[in-house]
């Protein structure tokens, strides 16, 4: 089942509908359970930072339960217990009644087995200030100094749970336990850099029965039906024909990179339509690529078409893109194709009028051009930017066919069904695993892939002979396939 995502307003509604349930106690128990696993150095105490709101109440519950399990704890709290929200005040009283005490500042000495961040939850909308900012900076530094886990409750303090924007300072957690449902900000923008491993504790609720999810996390499971072995009785004609339109003068390389990637990801034939009037005769590194004039490409028998890599902004490029948009092919628009759509109203109308699927893959600057806004605006709330563009395009759909909610994922799956002959295996998800795979194989977190590389193409960097490289490439391919088959990997970064 796809992981449901909830924004703060939806979570508040769920909390209100379950006001009689002991949610804070359940949250504290879930946090204490994971903390028990993380705090392996029992000779060192657990440092717990409790804030002035309900996140602080979760911290008090976790601290009380850890004390019951004979963990030494140091709870830092500088507020007035009487000023806490009612549930948090009750949690603080239970902690005190059980013999727990607090101090008003982080100790200057001592080492920690675990640090728990319970300062601010999902309601924070500005940068932490004053002593809280100091505590966040100190907690980050202590976690590095002591090489101990840093567990954030619900959301790392200083991170916007809706947008993923990290204020300064912001907790840099190694682990985050988030309550009721996953939040989009944990998974986008700065979120992944500040959350570490994320687990969802639903607190014995069924959130989707109360409030519809605002979105879903796309995972490998969504593409399981497409990740199937190739038949033995097959050939390149069995796996479709991909077209790449681009390669204006001085930018042929961009089209070549896209074509090479299509081959490596399983397309049977790949045709590249180049706008350069003096194109190369072939791609010497990937001679399987079939080069065509741009107009000839659009007349070829294709299964799917990608437009944009090195396309440029010429009149010819615009006219070719208009023809491509008018075609019935499954379409992917990237790079210069998006810039042309952003600048020409007729292309926007044509794109909105398509009855066949199209996928847009803008980076933040391209998204800003499409929305006539700034890159900082897009980066400030990527999800809102994507939704705004969807709403802008929705005018071409009948009211009962708007591509919102689950329908968006179904549209994407529909496109993938059209692309199945290309042996499409969920390449967006695949790309997200490549860096982790390389890091685990080499132990080098700085291992990078160039634009034309997959892990199985890196053998030349290992100083191997051609025969050794082929053998190692095969071993890496099997290892990467096994890595993707691991349920812990295919489950994505979220654990429920």
């Amino acid at each position: 089942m796809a992981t449901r995502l909830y924004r703060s307003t939806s979570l508040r509604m769920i909390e209100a509908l379950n006001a009689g349930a002991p949610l804070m106690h359940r949250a504290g128990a879930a946090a204490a359970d994971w903390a028990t696993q993380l705090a392996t150095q029992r000779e060192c105490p657990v440092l717990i930072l409790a804030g002035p709101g309900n996140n602080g109440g979760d911290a008090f519950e976790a601290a009380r339960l850890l004390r019951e399990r004979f963990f030494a704890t140091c709870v830092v709290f500088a507020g007035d217990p009487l000023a806490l929200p009612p549930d948090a005040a009750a949690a603080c009283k239970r902690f005190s009644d059980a013999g727990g005490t607090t101090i008003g500042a982080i100790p200057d000495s001592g080492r920690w087995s675990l640090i728990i961040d319970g300062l601010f939850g999902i309601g924070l909308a500005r940068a932490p200030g004053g002593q809280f900012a100091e505590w966040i900076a100190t907690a980050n530094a202590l976690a590095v100094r002591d090489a101990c886990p840093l567990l954030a409750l619900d959301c790392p303090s200083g991170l916007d749970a809706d947008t993923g924007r990290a204020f300064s300072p912001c907790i840099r957690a190694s682990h985050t336990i988030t309550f009721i449902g996953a939040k989009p900000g944990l998974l986008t923008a700065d979120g992944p850099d500040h959350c570490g491993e994320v687990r969802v504790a639903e607190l014995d609720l069924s959130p989707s029965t109360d409030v519809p999810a605002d979105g879903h996390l796309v995972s490998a499971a969504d593409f399981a039906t497409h990740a199937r072995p190739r038949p033995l009785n097959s050939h390149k004609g069995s796996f479709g024909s991909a077209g790449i339109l681009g390669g204006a003068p001085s930018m042929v390389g961009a089209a070549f990179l896209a074509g090479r990637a299509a081959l490596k990801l399983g397309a049977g034939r790949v045709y590249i339509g180049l706008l350069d009037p003096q194109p190369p005769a072939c791609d010497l590194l990937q001679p399987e690529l079939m080069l065509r004039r741009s107009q000839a490409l659009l007349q070829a028998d294709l299964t799917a078409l990608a437009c944009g890599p090195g396309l440029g902004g010429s009149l010819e490029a615009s006219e070719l893109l208009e023809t491509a948009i008018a075609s019935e092919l499954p379409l992917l628009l990237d790079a210069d194709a998006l810039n042309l759509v952003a600048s020409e109203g007729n292309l926007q109308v044509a794109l909105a009028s398509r009855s066949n699927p199209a996928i847009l893959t803008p980076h933040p600057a391209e998204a800003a051009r499409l929305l006539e806004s700034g890159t900082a605006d897009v980066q400030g709330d990527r999800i809102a930017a994507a939704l705004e563009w969807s709403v802008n395009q929705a005018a071409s759909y009948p009211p009962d066919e708007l591509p919102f909610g689950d329908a968006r994922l179904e549209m994407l799956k529909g496109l993938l069904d059209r692309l199945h002959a290309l042996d499409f295996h969920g390449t967006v998800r695949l790309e997200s695993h490549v860096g982790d795979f390389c890091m685990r194989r080499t132990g080098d977190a700085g291992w990078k892939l160039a634009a034309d590389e997959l892990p199985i193409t890196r053998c030349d960097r290992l100083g191997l002979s051609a025969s050794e490289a082929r053998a190692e490439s095969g071993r890496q391919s099997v290892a990467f396939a096994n890595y993707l088959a691991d349920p812990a990997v295919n489950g994505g970064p979220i654990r429920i």
Side-chain angles (χ1 to χ4, degrees), residues 71-410:
F71 282 88
T73 62
C74 176
V75 178
V76 180
F77 175 67
D80 179 359
L82 298 178
L84 288 167
D87 288 345
C92 180
K93 185 176 186 303
R94 285 192 292 272
F95 170 74
S96 299
D97 290 346
T101 59
T102 66
I103 59 176
I106 297 176
D108 295 328
S109 60
R111 299 185 65 83
W112 311 103
S113 63
L114 170 69
I115 300 172
I116 296 179
D117 162 37
L119 291 176
F120 300 104
I122 62 174
L124 189 68
R126 56 183 174 82
Q131 66 181 351
F132 296 120
E134 295 176 4
W135 290 0
I136 289 172
T138 300
N140 287 336
L142 290 175
V144 172
R145 186 199 70 181
D146 296 347
C148 70
L150 201 170
L151 174 62
L153 305 186
D154 208 18
C155 177
S157 295
L159 183 74
D160 188 314
D162 286 342
T163 68
R165 176 188 176 190
F167 297 104
S168 182
C170 181
I171 285 288
R172 192 172 289 271
S174 60
H175 303 76
T176 298
I177 184 162
T178 194
F179 305 127
I180 299 178
K183 288 80 175 171
L186 308 184
L187 307 170
T188 188
D190 300 316
D193 289 322
H194 288 267
C195 293
E197 181 183 348
V198 178
R199 291 186 180 180
V200 177
E202 292 189 343
L203 309 186
D204 296 331
L205 302 180
S206 298
S208 60
T209 62
D210 295 327
V211 177
D214 295 311
H216 292 82
L217 176 66
V218 177
S219 70
D222 295 304
F223 305 99
T225 58
H226 302 276
R228 55 187 182 273
R230 288 187 172 195
L232 296 177
N233 183 20
S234 62
H235 51 80
K236 67 179 181 181
S238 306
F239 303 105
S241 299
I244 311 292
L245 178 63
S250 80
M251 296 186 289
V252 170
F256 279 3
L257 290 174
R260 294 171 190 172
L263 281 174
K264 291 172 182 175
L265 289 167
R269 301 185 183 93
V270 178
Y271 298 89
I272 299 182
L274 298 172
L275 279 71
D276 192 326
Q278 296 180 317
C282 70
D283 178 1
L284 295 178
L285 294 182
Q286 204 81 53
E288 306 96 313
L289 295 175
M290 293 174 279
L291 309 189
R292 296 288 187 272
R293 296 288 185 181
S294 54
Q295 287 286 359
L297 173 73
L298 297 179
Q299 297 169 6
D301 184 17
L302 301 176
T303 309
L305 177 63
C307 303
L311 184 65
S314 66
L315 176 61
E316 179 189 10
S318 175
E319 292 173 345
L320 288 167
L321 181 57
E322 186 171 16
T323 301
I325 292 174
S327 75
E328 296 184 357
L329 291 169
L331 187 65
L332 187 145
L333 302 184
D334 186 40
D336 287 331
L338 298 173
N339 294 331
L340 285 168
V341 169
S343 61
E344 300 186 21
N346 62 308
L347 295 179
Q348 296 173 23
V349 172
L351 182 61
S353 302
R354 275 180 61 91
S355 58
N356 290 291
I359 292 179
L360 278 63
T361 59
H363 60 55
E366 291 162 351
R369 296 183 193 112
L370 289 168
L371 292 168
E372 298 182 350
S373 64
T375 302
D377 297 324
V378 172
Q379 290 288 67
D381 194 340
R382 294 176 177 179
I383 294 173
L387 291 174
E388 181 180 350
W389 172 252
S390 298
V391 171
N392 289 346
Q393 294 299 300
S396 65
Y397 291 86
D400 59 345
E401 295 181 13
L402 292 178
F404 295 154
D406 291 341
R408 286 201 185 93
L409 183 57
E410 294 306 317

